[in-house]
Amino acid sequence: MASRWDYLFESKPVPLMDHMLEEVAKLLAKDLQQWPPPVQEIDLDVGGQFAPLFTEPPPRPVRAVYDEALRLSRWELSRELEAYDDYMRNKRYLERGLAPTDRLVLLFLNRWMVDHMLGLGEATEGRVNRRLMLQCLDRLEARLRLVQTPFS
């Protein structure tokens, strides 16, 4: 009869980078469960446009806003700036079912995700490159899909 721990010996080890990306995705998904997600500071010169989200927070955005923010973040990290510019210039988010009032929240969530990914790259001295950052966003998206509430 097999021991209850045999499966551990038979399983393949998880590479350290995969484990780290999974843990980062888990932490970010936890942060996104609250609205607005936590920020360390707001530079009023750069991010002052987002201040109303913290002084008079709107209700939690619908799931589609998170999905579209992930799309924008992927484009930004992939340096697909033409796609990003076309999306914003032509208000493609409206075609995706978002309201005009969702624009500020969409941009904030996009900035929040990209800043966290770039911060991860910086903290790891470049070992987490943009390709790995995109993988981390994929893991984050998978975790957010598992959460039924409050995003449904």
Side-chain angles (χ1 to χ4, degrees), residues 14-87:
V14 176
L16 183 60
M17 188 60 74
D18 287 346
H19 178 70
M20 185 184 74
L21 294 177
E22 190 62 37
E23 288 301 312
V24 168
K26 186 188 306 182
L27 289 171
L28 294 180
K30 183 179 176 190
D31 284 347
L32 288 172
Q33 288 179 1
Q34 53 183 314
W35 180 250
V39 294
Q40 290 181 347
E41 63 183 88
I42 295 179
D43 180 354
L44 294 178
D45 293 333
V46 177
Q49 67 184 11
F50 302 125
L53 296 176
F54 297 93
T55 57
E56 303 166 15
R60 175 181 292 283
V62 295
R63 177 56 190 247
V65 176
Y66 290 87
D67 294 339
E68 293 305 302
L70 280 161
R71 174 191 312 275
L72 291 175
S73 299
R74 282 190 185 94
W75 284 340
E76 192 168 341
L77 290 172
S78 300
R79 295 187 173 110
E80 295 181 36
L81 302 180
E82 288 181 27
Y84 189 105
D85 288 344
D86 175 71
Y87 183 91

Side-chain angles (χ1 to χ4, degrees), residues 29-152:
K30 183 179 176 190
D31 284 347
L32 288 172
Q33 288 179 1
Q34 53 183 314
W35 180 250
V39 294
Q40 290 181 347
E41 63 183 88
I42 295 179
D43 180 354
L44 294 178
D45 293 333
V46 177
Q49 67 184 11
F50 302 125
L53 296 176
F54 297 93
T55 57
E56 303 166 15
R60 175 181 292 283
V62 295
R63 177 56 190 247
V65 176
Y66 290 87
D67 294 339
E68 293 305 302
L70 280 161
R71 174 191 312 275
L72 291 175
S73 299
R74 282 190 185 94
W75 284 340
E76 192 168 341
L77 290 172
S78 300
R79 295 187 173 110
E80 295 181 36
L81 302 180
E82 288 181 27
Y84 189 105
D85 288 344
D86 175 71
Y87 183 91
M88 295 309 295
R89 182 177 44 253
N90 296 306
K91 300 179 181 176
R92 304 265 186 235
Y93 52 90
L94 298 174
E95 298 169 8
R96 302 273 183 186
L98 275 58
T101 56
D102 290 329
R103 184 179 187 279
L104 182 63
V105 174
L106 173 65
L107 291 173
F108 168 73
L109 287 172
N110 165 231
R111 178 66 14 231
W112 188 89
M113 290 178 200
V114 169
D115 284 351
H116 276 80
M117 290 298 103
L118 294 176
L120 177 63
E122 200 174 294
T124 60
E125 298 176 349
R127 287 185 292 264
V128 175
N129 57 25
R130 287 177 182 259
R131 180 184 56 83
L132 293 172
M133 291 175 199
L134 290 167
Q135 288 179 21
C136 191
L137 285 180
D138 291 342
R139 292 168 189 245
L140 172 60
E141 182 175 31
R143 286 193 163 276
L144 291 177
R145 291 205 184 286
L146 292 175
V147 178
Q148 294 300 317
T149 56
F151 298 106
S152 10

